């Protein structure tokens, strides 16, 4: 058992032995041309031996593991108790001897940095940066031992404990190594990152530099000079005014000192030094094989590297088939599901879609490089995506402004136009309801056949059956006829907005004409939950039971079974079951087949049902539909009357009425293909979970939901061979946790740029938050910032502010007065339903859920496309 290892004995594979920081330093010492100050690592074996002296601490650590991540008081008290207990322990003699001996071999008269190095630190999926402690300018063997013990104790700082709880790392699974390294007394120090920290551009090295020790920069004590280097050239520099520095004290420790006024505006580094450091950073990046966050010191003429860790906040780049420049657009921003997806969900969606998709960071992206390179499809693609999401369109224009990044196609027919672009160019359909009826009937018949047939297969045959049925799904739902119906409605809506603005001066006229359109299965779902409230409202005991469920939570069907014990419970259960039979396959993030469906966790719906009982009277569902229908008919009559009064009015009125009929006949169908697809997904999931149960019974899997961390083809192989890699599933779970912390960009390039784009609004009110106007009207009210519909507590007149909405959010729409989302476009779910319900809505408002605070009074202008914050909560 080794209690101490020198850097020369360590490489990146020794994380379990010396922790992440120590392993990276050992690996750094092997990089040619990179100077690393001498040092050694106190191993995790030493930590384990040390902890053996206090077995009672293990019980406290186990108790801490059960604390909720947001219980700050409990974390503060428990972590302090554990840390104090650790720092009172004596270091075992054999451990202390090993540390003192290693220290003596390097030189007892020198000063050292003593730095924590946990086994879950500086990893590719979690940096843990700043969570444990570092001590500088430590002098003498007794001080070295004392600070090693403090580093061990810092495993249980409040910030480190909270970080682990929130990221799913068990306290008892993590061990602490300690780095003891010769102290560098630098003229300057700082950080170099091999990707732009703002844009994520991997072609840029960004260098922060300050005088003295680097802790001044890390702690935010001083402003840094910033240098940006691309391809061997300094492309940008900012020289800051630097008033303070941190320097070592001869007797040990550090102090803050003011910089002489004459030096405050001097550049920290010369051009030659900047370029030399950038070259070293690229060598380190090449050695580790990923973008790096590098801590450096300038000691005389030489740079010393004291740390390098992977940059865990960068969004990964999809793996392409070649090394050419590529452009990717986010599937999640089009599908209103920007969260990370599990591998089974990703692979099933890839099988379902015909687009050329790549995976990165637990999300899917469509490779649009070929379409951008071709003049035939470039304009249509940018305009089409820009219509649905202006920020995405603008981001693509930024890419195209770089003429060298996307070369023109050598053959104009090399880019194939997607089906949606082809459909948009097809002849519009006449307003015939039978077209929609035929499409939905064919889909319903196909679903009935699937429901019948999927029960007859199992084992490898089940996976083959589902794979074949997904191909059938594409033929049934994504036919040219289906796309033609949707594009006819979209084009008619655009025509109405353009012409009526020209002829009558009215903006977004189509919005008022799409209220209560027939056949919108998603808006019908929101009204159907009002009917469930009607069935429950007359039974106080049932209502009281549901309030208990809302307060204490439930994750299964127990509360439904308990309804029979209350007066009116049978009627309530029948209403629940009727709703779930038609809509129970829906859920938040429903394009991911692994997400829990309402039928699997019906308690999710309880807060919304109770809100409907509180906020509405009997018959509200049918009444809302009739009110919307009346408003649409009145708007149609008014518009046609105004048009007939214009020159050439009869022709204008006739053309407009034809477009209104198309919008009202076909707009409702827009939501149906996805609904039918999600019905099929739920049938697939039920069958796959049955197969997973058999795998658990055969001791192949530990948990049925382990199949969520396998791709579809991998699951097929597991079912065939009855064998699975437990390590693979563990790795996939850890990767998924890390992906959840990432924010998916709208547009991503192969050089790592995460592009958002910008709005081109003119003359917005001061302080207004720009977005996309998708449902006309202006409303003021209380903002309710909600991330989970199961936690929604809405009052009439509230404005829903959230990251995105998919069909599962529709039940909330009946209770709100307006909508604001961070993601969305003209034809995405929230916009369609907001128009049908007559709610002013603005979507695509960047960072809305952080810029708008819950309870603030806001104004939503769904005609012009912006949000104003009017007052703070409780003003």
């Amino acid at each position: 058992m080794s209690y101490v290892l020198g850097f020369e004995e360590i490489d990146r594979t020794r994380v379990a032995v010396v922790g992440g920081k120590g392993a990276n330093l050992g690996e750094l010492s092997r990089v040619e041309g990179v100077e690393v100050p001498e040092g050694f690592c106190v191993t995790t074996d030493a930590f384990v031996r040390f902890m053996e002296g206090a077995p009672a601490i293990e019980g406290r650590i186990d108790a801490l593991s059960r604390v909720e991540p947001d219980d700050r008081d409990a974390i503060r008290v428990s972590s302090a108790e554990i840390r104090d207990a650790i720092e009172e322990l004596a270091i075992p003699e054999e451990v202390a001897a090993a540390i003192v001996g290693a220290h003596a071999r390097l030189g007892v008269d020198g000063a050292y940095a003593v730095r924590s190095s946990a086994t879950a630190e500086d990893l590719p999926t979690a940096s843990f940066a700043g969570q444990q402690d570092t001590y500088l300018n430590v002098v003498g063997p007794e001080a070295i031992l004392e600070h090693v013990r403090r580093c061990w104790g810092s495993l249980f700082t409040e910030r480190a404990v909270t970080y682990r709880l929130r990221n799913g790392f068990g306290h008892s699974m993590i061990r602490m190594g300690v780095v003891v390294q010769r102290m560098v007394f630098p003229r300057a120090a700082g950080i170099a990152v091999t990707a732009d920290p703002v844009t994520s551009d991997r072609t840029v090295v960004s260098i922060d530099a300050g005088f003295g020790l680097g802790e001044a920069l890390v702690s935010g004590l001083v402003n840094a000079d910033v240098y940006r280097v691309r391809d061997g050239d300094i492309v940008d520099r900012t020289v800051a005014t630097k008033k303070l520095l941190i320097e070592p004290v001869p007797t040990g420790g550090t102090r803050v000192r003011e910089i002489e006024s004459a030096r405050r505006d001097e550049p920290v580094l010369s051009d030659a030094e900047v370029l030399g450091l950038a070259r070293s950073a690229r060598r380190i990046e090449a050695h580790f094989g990923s973008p790096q966050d590098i801590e450096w010191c300038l000691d005389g003429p030489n740079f010393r590297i004291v740390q390098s860790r992977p940059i865990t906040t960068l969004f990964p780049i999809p793996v392409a088939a070649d090394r050419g420049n590529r452009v990717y657009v986010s599937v999640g921003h089009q599908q209103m599901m920007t969260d990370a997806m599990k591998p089974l969900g990703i692979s099933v969606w890839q099988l379902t879609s015909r687009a050329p998709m790549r995976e990165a960071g637990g999300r899917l992206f469509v490779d649009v490089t070929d379409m951008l390179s071709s003049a035939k499809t470039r304009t249509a693609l940018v305009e089409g995506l820009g219509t649905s999401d202006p920020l995405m369109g603008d981001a693509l224009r930024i890419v195209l402004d770089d003429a060298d990044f996307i070369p023109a196609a050598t053959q104009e027919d090399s880019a194939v136009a997607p089906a949606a672009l082809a459909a948009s160019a097809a002849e519009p359909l006449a307003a015939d309801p039978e077209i929609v009826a035929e499409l939905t009937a064919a889909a319903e018949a196909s679903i009935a056949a699937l429901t019948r047939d999927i029960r007859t297969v199992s084992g490898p045959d089940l996976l083959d059956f589902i794979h074949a049925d997904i191909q059938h799904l594409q033929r049934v739902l994504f036919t040219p006829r289906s796309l033609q119906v949707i594009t006819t409605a979209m084009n008619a809506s655009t025509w109405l907005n353009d012409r009526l603005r020209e002829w009558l001066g009215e903006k977004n006229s189509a919005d008022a004409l799409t209220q209560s359109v027939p056949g919108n299965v998603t808006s019908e779902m929101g009204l159907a939950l009002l009917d469930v409230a009607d069935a429950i409202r007359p039974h106080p005991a049932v209502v009281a039971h549901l309030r208990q469920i809302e307060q204490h939570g439930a994750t299964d069907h127990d509360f439904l079974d308990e309804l029979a014990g209350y007066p009116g419970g049978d009627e309530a259960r029948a209403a629940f079951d009727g709703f779930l039979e038609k809509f129970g396959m829906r859920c938040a993030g429903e394009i991911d087949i692994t997400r829990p469906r309402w039928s699997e966790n019906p308690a999710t719906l309880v807060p919304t049902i109770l809100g409907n009982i509180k906020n509405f009277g009997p018959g509200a569902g049918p009444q809302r539909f009739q009110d919307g229908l009346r408003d649409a008919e009145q708007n149609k009559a008014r518009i046609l009357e105004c048009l007939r009064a214009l020159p050439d009015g009869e022709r204008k009125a006739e053309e407009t009425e034809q477009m209104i009929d198309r919008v009202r006949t076909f707009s409702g169908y827009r939501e149906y293909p996805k609904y039918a697809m999600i019905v099929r997904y739920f049938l697939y999931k039920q069958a796959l979970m049955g197969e997973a149960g058999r795998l658990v019974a055969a001791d192949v899997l530990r948990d049925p939901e382990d199949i969520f961390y396998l791709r579809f083809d991998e699951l097929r192989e597991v079912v065939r061979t009855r064998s699975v890699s437990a390590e693979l599933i563990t790795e996939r779970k850890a990767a998924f946790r890390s992906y959840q912390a990432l924010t998916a960009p709208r547009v991503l390039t192969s050089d790592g740029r995460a592009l958002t784009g910008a709005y081109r609004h003119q003359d917005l009110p001061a302080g207004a938050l720009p977005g996309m106007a998708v449902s006309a009207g202006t409303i003021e009210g209380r903002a309710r910032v909600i991330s989970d519909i199961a936690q929604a507590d809405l009052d009439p007149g509230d404005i829903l502010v959230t990251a995105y909405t998919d069909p599962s959010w529709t039940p909330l729409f009946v209770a709100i007065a307006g909508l604001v989302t961070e993601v969305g476009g003209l034809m995405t779910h929230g916009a369609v339903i907001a128009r049908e319900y007559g709610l002013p809505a603005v979507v695509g408002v960047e960072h809305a859920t952080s810029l708008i605070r819950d309870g603030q009074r806001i104004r939503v202008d769904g005609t012009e496309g912006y949000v104003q914050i009017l007052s703070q909560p409780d003003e």
Side-chain angles (χ1 to χ4, degrees):
M1 183 177 292
S2 297
Y3 295 136
V4 169
L5 292 174
F7 285 173
E8 71 280 359
E9 302 175 87
I10 300 168
D11 61 22
R12 72 179 85 181
T13 67
R14 308 299 295 274
V15 172
V17 179
V18 296
K21 186 181 275 103
N24 284 353
L25 275 170
E27 189 70 36
L28 266 174
S29 67
R30 300 165 183 267
V31 181
E32 185 177 354
V34 172
E35 294 189 37
V36 177
E38 291 180 296
F40 62 89
C41 288
V42 182
T43 68
T44 56
D45 286 338
F47 174 72
V48 172
R49 176 68 184 89
F50 171 75
M51 292 293 287
E52 288 173 355
I57 293 178
E58 293 299 324
R60 294 182 180 179
I61 293 173
D62 289 341
L64 184 60
S65 298
R66 295 188 289 273
V67 173
E68 291 296 322
D70 295 327
D71 191 345
R72 297 179 61 182
D73 291 337
I75 292 172
R76 181 172 60 253
V77 172
S78 297
S79 62
E81 289 177 349
I82 294 171
R83 189 173 186 184
D84 289 344
I86 289 174
E87 293 187 1
E88 290 174 1
L89 286 177
I91 299 177
E93 290 183 7
E94 65 273 28
V95 174
I99 296 171
V100 171
H103 174 229
R105 286 190 291 275
L106 286 181
V108 295
D109 295 330
Y112 291 84
V114 182
R115 311 168 73 191
S116 303
S117 179
T119 53
E121 186 175 359
D122 293 349
L123 303 181
T125 57
S127 74
F128 278 78
Q131 301 307 313
Q132 282 83 225
D133 288 345
T134 288
Y135 301 95
L136 300 178
N137 201 27
V138 179
V139 179
E142 291 301 321
I144 293 287
L145 290 174
E146 175 61 26
H147 287 88
V148 166
R149 181 165 43 204
R150 289 185 185 180
C151 284
W152 285 336
S154 74
L155 188 60
F156 294 95
T157 62
E158 181 182 349
R159 63 184 182 273
V161 169
T162 301
Y163 188 96
R164 289 196 295 271
L165 287 171
R166 289 180 174 169
N167 287 277
F169 289 87
H171 304 305
S172 60
M173 296 171 58
I174 298 175
R175 298 177 179 180
M176 180 69 83
V178 179
V179 173
V180 180
Q181 188 175 24
R182 277 193 180 276
M183 187 72 188
V184 178
F185 300 101
R187 175 177 68 79
I191 299 166
V193 290
T194 59
D196 188 291
V198 177
T199 67
S200 300
D201 187 347
R202 268 78 159 178
T203 67
V204 170
V205 174
S206 182
I207 297 170
D208 285 16
F211 293 121
L213 294 170
E215 274 58 33
L217 297 184
V218 174
S219 65
L221 182 65
V222 299
N223 295 324
D225 286 3
V226 180
Y227 308 89
R228 299 172 75 249
V229 179
R230 179 189 286 118
D231 297 330
D233 293 320
I234 300 173
V235 295
D236 187 41
R237 80 180 75 232
T238 301
V239 177
T241 298
K242 300 163 285 292
K243 297 181 180 180
L244 303 172
L245 60 77
I246 294 179
E247 65 182 7
V249 177
T251 56
T254 61
R255 66 185 177 193
V256 177
R257 180 175 66 80
E258 286 193 3
I259 297 173
E260 300 83 357
S261 57
R263 294 183 60 210
R264 291 179 177 179
D265 294 315
E266 287 182 4
V268 174
L269 300 176
S270 68
D271 286 3
E273 289 168 338
V274 169
L275 296 176
L277 179 57
R279 287 192 295 271
S280 294
R282 287 297 185 208
R283 281 197 295 271
I284 294 169
E285 178 187 56
H287 183 86
F288 281 98
S290 66
Q292 296 288 300
D293 178 344
I294 300 162
E295 297 177 21
W296 57 268
C297 297
L298 182 56
D299 181 18
N302 301 319
F303 283 100
R304 305 289 183 89
I305 305 301
V306 296
Q307 187 53 273
S308 185
R309 62 175 65 89
I311 305 175
T312 59
T313 56
L314 288 179
F315 201 89
I317 302 172
V319 177
D322 57 47
R323 293 182 176 274
N325 291 338
R326 314 301 296 179
V327 182
Y328 307 95
V329 297
S330 166
V331 172
H333 284 80
Q334 294 293 308
Q335 291 295 327
M336 299 298 96
M337 218 296 276
T338 57
D339 297 342
M341 297 171 67
K342 297 184 177 76
L344 184 62
I346 285 177
S347 58
V348 169
W349 185 255
Q350 284 178 306
L351 290 173
T352 305
S353 174
R354 294 170 175 170
M357 288 189 290
R358 300 283 181 179
E359 177 185 349
R363 279 80 167 182
L364 286 169
F365 295 84
V366 176
D367 186 339
V368 297
T369 310
D370 290 343
M371 285 181 279
L372 286 177
S373 67
S374 170
K376 284 186 176 180
T377 52
R378 180 187 305 123
T379 301
L381 176 72
V382 175
E383 291 182 353
L385 291 176
T387 298
S388 65
D389 187 331
L391 293 177
M392 186 174 287
D394 192 65
L396 289 174
R397 292 184 185 96
I398 292 172
V399 175
L400 292 174
D401 285 343
D402 183 355
D404 296 330
F405 191 76
I406 300 293
T410 55
Q411 296 180 354
E412 281 302 326
D413 59 356
S414 63
V416 178
L421 295 181
S424 65
E427 285 296 318
L429 296 170
D432 182 359
E434 286 301 313
I435 297 173
V436 173
E438 291 172 3
L439 289 170
T440 54
E444 294 292 336
S446 178
I447 290 170
L450 171 62
T451 305
R452 179 189 68 241
D453 296 340
I454 200 169
R455 299 170 182 165
T456 67
V457 289
S458 61
D461 291 342
L462 173 63
L463 278 296
D464 293 341
F465 177 91
I466 292 174
H467 188 274
D469 191 77
I470 290 175
Q471 312 310 308
H472 180 65
L473 180 158
Q474 292 178 338
R475 292 192 295 272
V476 171
L477 294 181
F478 307 130
T479 64
R481 190 71 157 175
S482 178
L483 292 172
Q484 197 175 7
V485 167
I486 294 170
T487 54
T488 293
M490 292 174 59
N491 292 340
S493 179
T494 300
W495 188 96
L496 287 168
N497 285 333
D498 291 345
R499 295 298 186 279
L500 295 181
R501 183 170 187 169
E502 176 188 349
W503 293 339
L504 300 178
E506 296 185 6
K507 292 184 177 180
N508 304 329
S509 296
D511 294 355
L513 299 167
T514 54
Q515 295 186 66
S516 298
V517 296
N520 188 322
V521 68
T522 304
S523 62
E524 290 170 359
M525 177 176 67
L527 300 179
L529 210 56
L530 287 171
D531 296 341
V532 176
D534 285 351
I536 295 172
R537 187 182 291 104
H539 308 296
V542 173
V543 174
H545 176 60
L546 295 183
R547 286 182 180 142
Q548 288 294 313
I549 297 301
E550 180 185 34
Q551 182 177 355
H552 300 294
T555 58
D556 52 33
H557 288 73
D558 288 350
F559 82 95
L560 289 180
D561 297 334
E562 293 165 358
L563 290 177
Y566 297 94
D570 291 340
E571 293 90 333
R573 177 62 185 265
F576 257 109
D577 288 345
F579 180 86
L580 292 174
E581 182 178 357
K582 185 170 184 180
F583 300 112
M585 79 297 299
R586 310 219 84 152
C587 68
E590 62 190 8
I591 68 169
D592 183 350
I593 195 174
T594 71
R595 290 289 191 105
R597 310 285 143 170
W598 288 341
S599 286
E600 296 169 323
N601 185 16
T604 303
L605 298 168
V606 168
T608 303
I609 293 171
L610 290 174
N612 288 346
I613 291 172
K614 178 182 72 172
N615 296 328
F616 298 97
Q623 186 61 53
R624 283 184 68 96
F625 185 84
Q626 290 301 318
D627 289 347
L629 181 61
R630 183 188 65 249
D631 289 347
E633 291 174 343
Q634 289 176 349
N635 273 292
K636 175 182 176 180
R638 177 187 60 79
I639 287 170
L640 295 179
E641 181 179 356
C642 291
L643 289 174
R644 291 189 180 101
L646 299 176
D648 198 18
E650 285 299 327
R651 178 190 62 82
K652 293 175 179 174
E654 181 179 348
E655 291 179 358
T656 300
E657 185 169 21
Q658 183 182 58
M659 292 298 177
I660 293 173
D661 290 345
R662 287 178 182 170
V663 166
R664 293 199 59 79
T665 300
F666 295 134
S667 289
Y669 179 75
R670 165 68 177 77
E671 294 287 302
Y672 184 81
K674 187 173 185 179
Y675 166 82
M677 181 187 70
I678 297 303
V679 172
R680 298 182 97 92
Y681 271 22
F682 188 43
L683 291 170
Y684 300 160
K685 184 182 182 183
Q686 289 176 305
L688 291 173
M689 290 306 292
E691 196 63 39
R694 290 186 281 274
L695 291 172
V696 171
D699 293 326
V700 177
L701 296 175
R702 295 178 181 177
D703 186 283
E705 292 191 359
D706 283 350
I707 68 169
F708 297 163
Y709 299 93
L710 298 170
R711 296 182 61 82
F712 187 86
D713 57 339
E714 294 170 339
L715 177 57
R716 177 157 37 185
E717 189 66 10
V718 168
V719 171
R720 185 184 68 81
T721 64
R722 288 306 212 235
S723 176
V724 69
S725 168
E727 291 78 10
L728 174 65
I729 292 175
T730 299
E731 290 172 4
R732 293 274 177 83
K733 289 179 178 179
F736 177 72
R737 286 194 299 268
S738 71
Y739 295 154
Q740 288 178 299
L742 299 176
T743 299
R746 281 176 164 82
V747 174
L748 187 63
T749 62
S750 54
D751 59 10
R753 286 176 290 168
L755 301 173
T756 296
Y759 287 104
R760 308 301 178 187
H761 286 310
Q762 301 293 326
D763 302 324
L764 286 184
L769 307 178
M772 183 179 189
V774 295
S775 185
T778 302
I779 191 71
E780 295 182 8
R782 180 180 63 162
R784 297 314 312 265
V785 182
I786 297 172
S787 60
D788 181 356
I789 64 170
Q791 305 300 320
D793 181 16
L794 297 166
D795 289 329
D798 284 348
I799 297 170
L800 174 61
V801 180
T802 191
Y804 62 83
T805 65
D806 61 9
S808 70
W809 289 76
T810 301
L812 299 188
F813 281 44
V814 300
I816 60 176
L819 174 70
V820 178
T821 68
E822 295 180 339
V823 177
L826 193 62
M827 293 306 296
T828 49
H829 161 264
V832 171
I833 304 303
R835 290 193 292 272
E836 183 157 344
Y837 284 177
L839 305 174
V842 178
V843 302
V845 180
E846 280 283 274
H847 310 300
T849 58
S850 56
L851 296 174
I852 300 171
R853 290 164 46 202
D854 187 61
Q856 287 181 320
R857 187 169 182 80
I858 64 174
R859 177 184 296 123
V860 177
D861 192 322
T863 303
E864 299 295 337
Y866 62 85
V867 180
Q868 290 176 281
I869 299 173
L870 303 178
S871 66
Q872 302 304 315
D874 301 323
E875 281 190 8

